[in-house]
Amino acid sequence: MTSKFQGQTAIVTGGARGIGLGIAQRLASEGANVAIWDVGFDQFDDATANFTPILKQVVDVSNLEAVEAAVAALEAKTGRIDVLVNNAGINGPIFDVADYPIDAWHKVISVDLTGVFFCCRAVLPIMTEAGYGRIVNISSIAGKEGNPRISAYAAAKAGVIGFTKSLAREVADKGVLANCVAPVITETDLFKEMTPEHIAASKSKIPMNRFLTIPEIAATVAFAASSECTFTTGFTFDLSGGRATY
Protein backbone atom coordinates (compact mmCIF):
# COMPACT_ATOMS: atom_id res chain seq x y z
CA MET A 1 0.00 0.00 0.00
CA THR A 2 1.03 3.62 -0.54
CA SER A 3 1.30 6.17 2.27
CA LYS A 4 -1.11 8.75 0.88
CA PHE A 5 -2.61 9.36 4.33
CA GLN A 6 0.77 9.60 6.09
CA GLY A 7 0.54 12.00 9.03
CA GLN A 8 -3.20 12.48 8.63
CA THR A 9 -5.81 11.82 11.30
CA ALA A 10 -9.02 10.05 10.29
CA ILE A 11 -12.24 9.28 12.14
CA VAL A 12 -14.29 6.25 11.15
CA THR A 13 -17.63 6.02 12.95
CA GLY A 14 -19.01 2.54 13.49
CA GLY A 15 -15.43 1.39 13.01
CA ALA A 16 -15.24 -1.55 15.41
CA ARG A 17 -16.61 -4.15 13.01
CA GLY A 18 -18.07 -4.86 9.59
CA ILE A 19 -17.84 -2.24 6.88
CA GLY A 20 -16.48 0.40 9.24
CA LEU A 21 -13.65 -1.85 10.35
CA GLY A 22 -12.78 -2.62 6.73
CA ILE A 23 -12.60 1.10 5.97
CA ALA A 24 -10.48 1.79 9.05
CA GLN A 25 -8.09 -1.01 8.11
CA ARG A 26 -7.68 0.38 4.60
CA LEU A 27 -6.98 3.92 5.79
CA ALA A 28 -4.53 2.68 8.43
CA SER A 29 -2.74 0.53 5.84
CA GLU A 30 -2.18 3.68 3.80
CA GLY A 31 -0.65 5.62 6.67
CA ALA A 32 -3.56 7.26 8.48
CA ASN A 33 -3.79 7.59 12.23
CA VAL A 34 -7.29 6.21 12.59
CA ALA A 35 -9.62 6.90 15.48
CA ILE A 36 -12.52 4.51 15.56
CA TRP A 37 -15.81 5.46 17.16
CA ASP A 38 -18.41 2.93 18.18
CA VAL A 39 -20.90 2.19 20.93
CA GLY A 40 -18.69 -0.65 22.18
CA PHE A 41 -15.49 -2.52 21.44
CA ASP A 42 -16.22 -6.05 22.69
CA GLN A 43 -15.68 -7.44 19.19
CA PHE A 44 -12.57 -5.39 18.38
CA ASP A 45 -9.03 -6.68 18.80
CA ASP A 46 -5.91 -4.82 17.64
CA ALA A 47 -4.09 -8.02 16.72
CA THR A 48 -6.95 -9.41 14.65
CA ALA A 49 -7.58 -6.02 13.02
CA ASN A 50 -3.88 -5.75 12.09
CA PHE A 51 -3.65 -2.13 13.19
CA THR A 52 -3.76 -0.11 16.38
CA PRO A 53 -6.16 2.84 16.37
CA ILE A 54 -4.81 6.17 17.57
CA LEU A 55 -7.92 6.20 19.79
CA LYS A 56 -10.84 3.88 20.42
CA GLN A 57 -13.67 6.15 21.49
CA VAL A 58 -17.07 5.08 22.77
CA VAL A 59 -19.39 7.50 20.98
CA ASP A 60 -23.12 7.57 20.33
CA VAL A 61 -23.25 9.69 17.18
CA SER A 62 -26.83 10.70 17.93
CA ASN A 63 -25.58 12.52 21.06
CA LEU A 64 -24.08 15.90 20.13
CA GLU A 65 -22.24 16.34 23.44
CA ALA A 66 -20.57 12.92 23.04
CA VAL A 67 -19.55 13.75 19.47
CA GLU A 68 -18.10 17.12 20.40
CA ALA A 69 -16.19 15.64 23.35
CA ALA A 70 -14.70 12.91 21.16
CA VAL A 71 -13.61 15.44 18.54
CA ALA A 72 -12.00 17.61 21.22
CA ALA A 73 -10.13 14.63 22.69
CA LEU A 74 -8.85 13.53 19.30
CA GLU A 75 -7.75 17.03 18.27
CA ALA A 76 -5.95 17.42 21.60
CA LYS A 77 -4.04 14.20 20.93
CA THR A 78 -3.16 14.66 17.25
CA GLY A 79 -3.57 18.39 16.62
CA ARG A 80 -5.54 17.77 13.45
CA ILE A 81 -8.51 15.97 11.88
CA ASP A 82 -8.18 15.47 8.14
CA VAL A 83 -10.72 12.77 7.31
CA LEU A 84 -14.19 11.92 8.58
CA VAL A 85 -15.97 8.77 7.44
CA ASN A 86 -19.56 8.69 8.66
CA ASN A 87 -20.29 4.97 8.62
CA ALA A 88 -22.21 4.38 11.88
CA GLY A 89 -25.79 3.33 11.32
CA ILE A 90 -28.65 1.05 12.24
CA ASN A 91 -31.16 -0.71 10.01
CA GLY A 92 -34.21 -0.41 12.24
CA PRO A 93 -37.18 -2.78 12.27
CA ILE A 94 -39.11 -4.06 9.25
CA PHE A 95 -42.67 -2.74 9.16
CA ASP A 96 -45.14 -1.25 6.73
CA VAL A 97 -45.37 2.52 7.07
CA ALA A 98 -48.82 2.29 8.67
CA ASP A 99 -47.42 0.10 11.43
CA TYR A 100 -43.91 1.53 11.78
CA PRO A 101 -43.14 2.17 15.47
CA ILE A 102 -42.74 5.88 16.17
CA ASP A 103 -39.86 5.41 18.61
CA ALA A 104 -38.01 3.25 16.09
CA TRP A 105 -38.50 5.88 13.37
CA HIS A 106 -36.95 8.58 15.55
CA LYS A 107 -34.07 6.28 16.55
CA VAL A 108 -33.14 5.40 12.96
CA ILE A 109 -33.30 9.02 11.83
CA SER A 110 -31.28 10.19 14.85
CA VAL A 111 -28.44 7.72 14.24
CA ASP A 112 -28.39 7.44 10.45
CA LEU A 113 -29.05 11.09 9.51
CA THR A 114 -28.78 13.39 12.50
CA GLY A 115 -25.61 11.57 13.59
CA VAL A 116 -24.02 12.41 10.24
CA PHE A 117 -24.96 16.07 10.73
CA PHE A 118 -23.56 16.13 14.28
CA CYS A 119 -20.23 14.60 13.25
CA CYS A 120 -19.80 16.92 10.28
CA ARG A 121 -20.78 19.93 12.38
CA ALA A 122 -18.16 19.06 15.00
CA VAL A 123 -15.19 18.57 12.65
CA LEU A 124 -15.89 21.32 10.12
CA PRO A 125 -14.33 24.20 12.11
CA ILE A 126 -11.09 22.20 12.38
CA MET A 127 -11.06 21.35 8.69
CA THR A 128 -11.97 24.80 7.43
CA GLU A 129 -9.36 26.46 9.66
CA ALA A 130 -6.74 24.07 8.27
CA GLY A 131 -7.96 24.68 4.72
CA TYR A 132 -8.20 20.94 4.11
CA GLY A 133 -10.58 18.08 4.84
CA ARG A 134 -12.29 15.09 3.32
CA ILE A 135 -15.71 13.87 4.45
CA VAL A 136 -17.20 10.62 3.19
CA ASN A 137 -20.75 9.76 4.21
CA ILE A 138 -21.98 6.19 3.81
CA SER A 139 -25.45 6.20 2.28
CA SER A 140 -27.13 3.23 0.56
CA ILE A 141 -28.87 2.17 -2.62
CA ALA A 142 -31.98 2.34 -0.44
CA GLY A 143 -31.48 6.09 -0.31
CA LYS A 144 -31.72 6.23 -4.10
CA GLU A 145 -34.41 3.64 -4.78
CA GLY A 146 -36.38 3.34 -1.56
CA ASN A 147 -37.01 -0.09 -0.10
CA PRO A 148 -40.40 -1.29 1.11
CA ARG A 149 -40.86 -1.89 4.84
CA ILE A 150 -37.64 -0.09 5.85
CA SER A 151 -38.92 3.43 5.23
CA ALA A 152 -37.00 5.04 8.10
CA TYR A 153 -33.68 3.63 6.89
CA ALA A 154 -34.38 4.58 3.26
CA ALA A 155 -35.49 8.08 4.28
CA ALA A 156 -32.38 8.59 6.42
CA LYS A 157 -30.04 7.40 3.68
CA ALA A 158 -31.75 9.62 1.10
CA GLY A 159 -31.35 12.46 3.59
CA VAL A 160 -27.62 11.75 3.83
CA ILE A 161 -27.31 12.21 0.07
CA GLY A 162 -29.17 15.53 0.16
CA PHE A 163 -27.28 16.73 3.21
CA THR A 164 -23.94 15.89 1.60
CA LYS A 165 -24.81 17.88 -1.52
CA SER A 166 -25.71 20.91 0.61
CA LEU A 167 -22.59 20.60 2.77
CA ALA A 168 -20.33 20.22 -0.26
CA ARG A 169 -21.56 23.49 -1.74
CA GLU A 170 -21.09 25.33 1.54
CA VAL A 171 -17.42 24.40 1.88
CA ALA A 172 -16.33 23.89 -1.72
CA ASP A 173 -14.06 26.94 -1.62
CA LYS A 174 -12.54 26.09 1.77
CA GLY A 175 -10.50 23.03 0.82
CA VAL A 176 -13.05 20.62 2.28
CA LEU A 177 -14.67 18.05 -0.01
CA ALA A 178 -17.73 16.00 0.99
CA ASN A 179 -18.99 12.98 -0.91
CA CYS A 180 -21.24 9.96 -0.43
CA VAL A 181 -20.90 6.27 -1.13
CA ALA A 182 -24.08 4.30 -1.86
CA PRO A 183 -23.54 0.52 -1.57
CA VAL A 184 -25.91 -2.33 -2.27
CA ILE A 185 -26.17 -5.34 0.02
CA THR A 186 -22.69 -6.40 1.06
CA GLU A 187 -21.16 -9.72 2.05
CA THR A 188 -20.92 -9.51 5.84
CA ASP A 189 -21.77 -11.69 8.83
CA LEU A 190 -25.34 -10.38 8.57
CA PHE A 191 -25.84 -12.92 5.80
CA LYS A 192 -26.08 -15.53 8.55
CA GLU A 193 -29.31 -13.90 9.70
CA MET A 194 -30.92 -13.91 6.24
CA THR A 195 -32.91 -16.62 4.54
CA PRO A 196 -31.53 -18.16 1.32
CA GLU A 197 -34.58 -16.78 -0.47
CA HIS A 198 -33.84 -13.22 0.65
CA ILE A 199 -30.20 -13.53 -0.34
CA ALA A 200 -31.13 -14.87 -3.78
CA ALA A 201 -33.71 -12.13 -4.34
CA SER A 202 -31.17 -9.45 -3.41
CA LYS A 203 -28.54 -10.89 -5.71
CA SER A 204 -30.97 -11.03 -8.64
CA LYS A 205 -31.22 -7.21 -8.62
CA ILE A 206 -27.49 -6.78 -9.26
CA PRO A 207 -26.48 -7.01 -12.95
CA MET A 208 -22.98 -8.21 -12.01
CA ASN A 209 -24.70 -11.20 -10.36
CA ARG A 210 -22.60 -11.05 -7.20
CA PHE A 211 -22.51 -9.17 -3.93
CA LEU A 212 -20.39 -6.21 -3.01
CA THR A 213 -17.45 -6.87 -0.68
CA ILE A 214 -16.10 -4.80 2.18
CA PRO A 215 -12.68 -4.26 0.53
CA GLU A 216 -14.45 -2.80 -2.51
CA ILE A 217 -16.26 -0.29 -0.30
CA ALA A 218 -13.02 0.52 1.51
CA ALA A 219 -11.19 1.14 -1.78
CA THR A 220 -13.80 3.64 -2.97
CA VAL A 221 -13.86 5.40 0.40
CA ALA A 222 -10.05 5.54 0.43
CA PHE A 223 -10.07 7.44 -2.86
CA ALA A 224 -12.82 9.86 -1.83
CA ALA A 225 -11.09 10.46 1.51
CA SER A 226 -7.68 11.15 -0.01
CA SER A 227 -5.86 14.12 -1.50
CA GLU A 228 -6.14 12.34 -4.86
CA CYS A 229 -9.82 13.35 -4.85
CA THR A 230 -9.43 16.99 -5.82
CA PHE A 231 -12.35 18.07 -8.03
CA THR A 232 -15.24 15.85 -6.96
CA THR A 233 -17.55 17.04 -4.20
CA GLY A 234 -21.25 16.61 -3.47
CA PHE A 235 -21.17 13.38 -5.47
CA THR A 236 -22.57 9.95 -4.63
CA PHE A 237 -20.21 7.16 -5.67
CA ASP A 238 -22.06 4.14 -7.03
CA LEU A 239 -21.29 0.74 -5.53
CA SER A 240 -24.21 -1.18 -6.95
CA GLY A 241 -22.78 -3.54 -9.57
CA GLY A 242 -24.86 -1.77 -12.22
CA ARG A 243 -28.10 -1.68 -10.23
CA ALA A 244 -28.25 2.10 -9.73
CA THR A 245 -30.00 3.99 -12.54
CA TYR A 246 -28.83 7.47 -11.57
Side-chain angles (χ1 to χ4, degrees), residues 21-235:
L21 176 56
I23 293 169
Q25 289 170 322
R26 176 64 184 250
L27 298 183
S29 75
E30 297 195 41
N33 293 315
V34 180
I36 55 176
W37 293 7
D38 219 309
V39 293
F41 291 91
D42 293 344
Q43 299 181 44
F44 183 86
D45 178 73
D46 290 11
T48 304
N50 294 317
F51 80 102
T52 300
I54 190 81
L55 283 178
K56 290 181 285 189
Q57 298 172 278
V58 176
V59 183
D60 173 2
V61 296
S62 67
N63 182 317
L64 179 59
E65 290 184 358
V67 168
E68 290 177 336
V71 166
L74 180 59
E75 186 187 20
K77 185 174 181 66
T78 67
R80 59 192 295 168
I81 297 175
D82 306 276
V83 175
L84 168 66
V85 180
N86 278 306
N87 167 76
I90 57 175
N91 293 329
I94 300 172
F95 283 97
D96 290 339
V97 169
D99 301 315
Y100 205 95
I102 301 301
D103 288 348
W105 174 275
H106 287 303
K107 180 66 174 176
V108 173
I109 298 298
S110 70
V111 174
D112 292 3
L113 178 55
T114 306
V116 172
F117 162 64
F118 284 167
C119 292
C120 290
R121 185 179 187 272
V123 303
L124 275 171
I126 298 168
M127 291 182 173
T128 55
E129 183 178 352
Y132 180 88
R134 296 292 183 269
I135 296 172
V136 184
N137 297 325
I138 308 301
S139 182
S140 168
I141 190 69
K144 287 187 169 187
E145 295 183 351
N147 279 5
R149 310 198 75 211
I150 56 167
S151 55
Y153 179 80
K157 292 302 187 179
V160 168
I161 293 173
F163 169 75
T164 304
K165 289 178 181 293
S166 295
L167 170 61
R169 293 190 174 197
E170 286 184 17
V171 297
D173 61 348
K174 295 179 172 62
V176 180
L177 307 185
N179 290 291
C180 273
V181 172
V184 289
I185 188 171
T186 307
E187 284 192 56
T188 67
D189 289 342
L190 291 177
F191 271 35
K192 298 173 184 176
E193 302 173 16
M194 301 176 187
T195 65
E197 292 78 16
H198 177 77
I199 292 173
S202 299
K203 189 176 183 179
S204 69
K205 297 177 182 178
I206 301 172
M208 284 189 179
N209 197 37
R210 68 171 179 86
F211 292 113
L212 179 63
T213 67
I214 291 176
E216 288 174 317
I217 297 176
T220 301
V221 171
F223 167 72
S226 77
S227 58
E228 292 179 348
C229 181
T230 56
F231 205 64
T232 301
T233 194
F235 185 65

